[in-house]
Amino acid sequence: MRKKILFIISVLLLIIGFGIHNPAFADGNSNDDLKKAEKSVDKAIELAKKGDLSEAEKTYNHFDTTWREIETGIKNDSAKAYQDIESNMGQVVYAFTLKKQDQVVQALQGLKSVNDKFANGEYPKESGFKKKDISLDDFIILLQQTKKEIGKQNQTEALADIKRASDSWLSVEGVVVAQSASVYSDSERDLVKIQAMLSANPPNYNQANNTIDHMISYLTPLAEKSSYTYWDAAMILIREGLEALLVVIALMSFVKKSGEVRGKKWIWSGVLGGFAVSIILALIVKFVISSGAFGNNNALIGGWTGVFAAVMLLYMSYWLHSQSNIADWNRYIREKSQAALSTGKLVSLGILAFLAVFREGTETVLFYIGMASQIKLQSLLLGFLIGAAILGIIAILMVYVGLKLPLRPFFMVSSLIVFYLCIKFTGMGIHSLQLAGLIPTTNVESIPSIEFFALYPSWESAIPQVVLIILAIAIILVKKFKNNNNQ
C-alpha cells in the first residue's frame, strides 16, 4: 500500500511541477536574482559586438529562461520595473529576428539598463496586482491599452500589454463565467488569437484591433453587474463540475459493472484528493500569491493536467471498447481470477479521478471566493447546494441507466463518453498551454469554434483532435475487419 501511495504522490508532484516554474530563485532577494541573471545579458552583449549573433541569441535565451523563474518576485516588488523589463525583452527578441548587429546590441543594452535600474533600487516599490486583484473594468482598460499600442503599430508594447491581460485573466474570469459561459469561452479563445496575430511576422494589426474591439463590446455589459443570485452560484458548479462528473461516473459505473469493490475506493480517493488540493491551491492563490500574479501558472497547470488526463482517457476509451465483446470480457475476468482490474489499472482510475476533479476544482473554488463579496452568504450556500443537488441527480441517473444496460451496449456507450472527454480535454489542455504562451498559435478562420468539443480556430489544437478521431475510426475498422475474417 505504501508503494501505491508513493507512486500516486510522485505522479501528482510531476503534474503540478510541469505547471509551476522552477522556484530556485523564489526565496531570494529579487534585486540579487536579477543581478545574477543579468550575467547572460552581459555575455550576449559581448558576443553581439563581435558579430556572433547566433551565440549571442543562445546566451540571451539563458536570461529569458531564468527570467521566467524570477519574474514573479520582481513583479511583486515593482509592477513598473516588470513592465519595462518585459518591454525591453520584446525589443531584444524582435532585434534578433532582424539579424542586424547594431539593433541587437542596442536592444540588449536597453535591457541591461532597465535591469541595472531595478537592481540598484531606482524603481518605486509598488506591487502591481499582488495585494488587490484587478476588476473586470481594469481588465477592459488593459485591452484598451493594447488597442492603443496596436494603433501605433508598436508590436513590442502591444504584445506586453496583451500578455499582462492574459496573466490577469484569472482575476476576472469568475465574474465572466458566472454570467455567460459563451462569453467566457470566447474571451479565452480571443486572448490566444490576439497574441498570435501580434506575434506574426508581419503582425496582423487590423484583425487584432477588430478582435479587441469585439472583446471589449461583449465584456463591457458584464462589468456593469455588481451582485449575483443563488442561480449564478449554482450554474458555476454545474458548468465547471459536469466534465469532472462525467469522468467519475463513467469510472464508477465501470467498476460496479465489473464487481471490483477496490476500484471504488481508488476513485473516491482521487475525487477527495482533487477536492482537497483544489481548495488548498485556490486559497493560496487568492490570499497569498494573488490571482493576477498566478495567472500564467494557472494556465500551465490547467494545460498539462488536461493533456495528461486526455492521454489516460484515450487509453481508458480504447480499453473499454476492446471489452465490448462479451467473449473478450469473460476471458479477461478468467485471466484475472475473478479480479476484474489489475493493481495498475486501479491506481490509474484514482489518478484519472484526481485529474478530472483537480482540473476543474481550483478555478471553481476561485470563482466562489471571487463572488463572495458580491452575493449574500445565504444565496451563495443555497446556490452551491442547488448545483450539487443537480449534479447528484445527473450522477444517479447515469449510474442507474449504465447498470441497466446490457454488457456490450454499456461498454460501447462508456467508451464513447470517455472518448468524447478525451477529445475535449485535449482541446482544452492545448488551448491553455497556448494561453500561457508555451505553444504557438496559428489562427485559422475556417475552423469553427465549438465549445462542446473545445474546438478552437488554430491548427495546433485542432490537428491533435482530428488525429484522435481518425485513429479511433481506424481502430474500429481494423477490429471489425478482423472479426469478419474470424467468422
Side-chain angles (χ1 to χ4, degrees):
M1 178 61 72
R2 183 178 295 178
K3 290 182 178 179
K4 295 175 185 176
I5 294 172
L6 288 174
F7 173 76
I8 293 177
I9 292 174
S10 300
V11 172
L12 300 183
L13 289 175
L14 179 64
I15 295 166
I16 295 174
F18 270 127
I20 302 177
H21 294 307
N22 188 334
F25 294 84
D27 295 328
N29 180 281
S30 55
N31 298 65
D32 294 337
D33 290 343
L34 190 57
K35 285 179 181 178
K36 293 175 185 177
E38 196 181 19
K39 293 178 181 178
S40 297
V41 178
D42 294 334
K43 182 65 176 176
I45 291 173
E46 292 179 16
L47 292 167
K49 286 181 176 179
K50 294 177 182 177
D52 192 349
L53 298 185
S54 178
E55 285 300 316
E57 186 170 11
K58 291 179 182 178
T59 304
Y60 165 75
N61 287 337
H62 289 305
F63 172 81
D64 184 74
T65 300
T66 305
W67 169 252
R68 302 307 163 194
E69 299 167 2
I70 67 175
E71 62 176 328
T72 299
I74 293 168
K75 181 193 295 184
N76 291 339
D77 282 348
S78 174
K80 175 61 177 171
Y82 174 80
Q83 178 181 346
D84 288 350
I85 293 171
E86 284 268 310
S87 175
N88 277 273
M89 287 174 67
Q91 293 177 35
V92 171
V93 172
Y94 182 66
F96 274 122
T97 62
L98 297 177
K99 299 188 183 302
K100 293 184 178 180
Q101 182 182 3
D102 57 337
Q103 292 191 28
V104 170
V105 172
Q106 183 179 357
L108 286 168
Q109 288 176 335
L111 175 60
K112 177 176 171 57
S113 177
V114 295
N115 286 348
D116 288 340
K117 183 178 177 181
F118 175 80
N120 294 330
E122 297 175 23
Y123 273 99
K125 292 284 184 178
E126 34 87 27
S127 58
F129 302 140
K130 184 180 179 183
K131 294 182 180 178
K132 180 178 182 295
D133 292 330
I134 70 170
S135 66
L136 186 53
D137 283 327
D138 296 327
F139 182 82
I140 293 172
I141 290 173
L142 284 176
L143 294 178
Q144 291 170 337
Q145 290 173 351
T146 307
K147 178 178 168 64
K148 183 178 179 181
E149 296 301 333
I150 289 174
K152 298 177 183 177
Q153 296 198 352
N154 189 337
Q155 183 187 31
T156 302
E157 289 297 332
L159 275 170
D161 284 340
I162 198 63
K163 184 180 184 302
R164 278 193 292 275
S166 295
D167 288 347
S168 304
W169 173 241
L170 185 58
S171 296
V172 302
E173 61 179 356
V175 176
V176 176
V177 76
Q179 300 181 63
S180 173
S182 61
V183 170
Y184 172 77
S185 178
D186 290 347
S187 299
E188 291 206 327
R189 177 202 64 205
D190 288 343
L191 281 171
V192 173
K193 287 175 64 176
I194 294 166
Q195 291 182 67
M197 292 167 182
L198 294 176
S199 299
N201 189 15
N204 192 336
Y205 290 118
N206 286 335
Q207 283 195 341
N209 187 69
N210 292 338
T211 305
I212 287 182
D213 279 340
H214 186 49
M215 279 194 77
I216 292 173
S217 68
Y218 62 62
L219 286 173
T220 299
L222 274 59
E224 298 169 358
K225 186 168 183 177
S226 58
S227 61
Y228 298 97
T229 67
Y230 68 88
W231 187 243
D232 293 321
M235 285 306 298
I236 283 182
L237 186 60
I238 294 169
R239 280 196 296 258
E240 297 303 307
L242 195 55
E243 280 92 7
L245 177 69
L246 287 174
V247 174
V248 172
I249 293 306
L251 299 180
M252 280 290 189
S253 299
F254 167 64
V255 296
K256 282 190 176 183
K257 200 78 170 180
S258 67
E260 178 55 85
V261 178
R262 294 179 303 160
K264 297 178 185 178
K265 296 178 181 178
W266 281 99
I267 294 171
W268 277 116
S269 296
V271 170
L272 294 175
F275 273 128
V277 176
S278 296
I279 292 171
I280 292 170
L281 183 59
L283 292 174
I284 290 173
V285 169
K286 194 68 184 179
F287 299 112
V288 179
I289 302 173
S290 90
S291 303
F294 192 71
N296 190 61
N297 278 324
N298 182 68
L300 286 170
I301 290 176
W304 284 118
T305 305
V307 169
F308 192 73
V311 172
M312 297 188 72
L313 286 167
L314 177 63
Y315 170 73
M316 184 61 67
S317 175
Y318 171 75
W319 191 85
L320 286 168
H321 178 75
S322 68
Q323 303 305 317
S324 60
N325 184 291
I326 297 177
D328 289 343
W329 173 248
N330 290 332
R331 184 169 59 253
Y332 182 79
I333 293 291
R334 288 195 302 272
E335 289 173 356
K336 297 300 178 183
S337 302
Q338 303 306 314
L341 299 174
S342 64
T343 300
K345 211 168 254 84
L346 287 171
V347 173
S348 68
L349 291 179
I351 294 174
L352 187 51
F354 171 88
L355 291 174
V357 174
F358 172 68
R359 195 193 185 287
E360 306 297 335
T362 304
E363 286 193 348
T364 303
V365 177
L366 283 171
F367 292 162
Y368 278 123
I369 292 174
M371 289 181 71
S373 62
Q374 297 172 291
I375 186 174
K376 293 180 180 179
L377 180 60
Q378 299 95 315
S379 297
L380 181 63
L381 293 175
L382 178 60
F384 178 84
L385 292 174
I386 290 174
I390 292 174
L391 287 178
I393 292 170
I394 294 172
I396 292 170
L397 290 175
M398 288 182 66
V399 172
Y400 178 79
V401 173
L403 292 177
K404 289 293 183 181
L405 288 174
L407 194 64
R408 179 176 173 79
F410 168 79
F411 278 115
M412 294 296 291
V413 171
S414 296
S415 65
L416 285 174
I417 292 174
V418 173
F419 184 69
Y420 156 72
L421 292 170
C422 172
I423 295 294
K424 187 164 187 177
F425 274 44
T426 298
M428 291 166 65
I430 294 175
H431 187 71
S432 292
L433 294 176
Q434 289 176 316
L435 188 63
L438 191 64
I439 293 179
T441 304
T442 305
N443 290 322
V444 185
E445 295 300 326
S446 58
I447 299 177
S449 291
I450 304 176
E451 185 182 353
F452 184 75
F453 293 104
L455 178 65
Y456 298 96
S458 80
W459 288 125
E460 289 81 5
S461 61
I463 287 177
Q465 291 178 304
V466 173
V467 169
L468 286 174
I469 293 172
I470 293 174
L471 181 64
I473 294 172
I475 290 173
I476 293 172
L477 292 177
V478 168
K479 186 175 181 180
K480 188 174 182 179
F481 178 76
K482 287 182 178 180
N483 290 337
N484 290 337
N485 286 342
N486 293 333
Q487 291 177 355

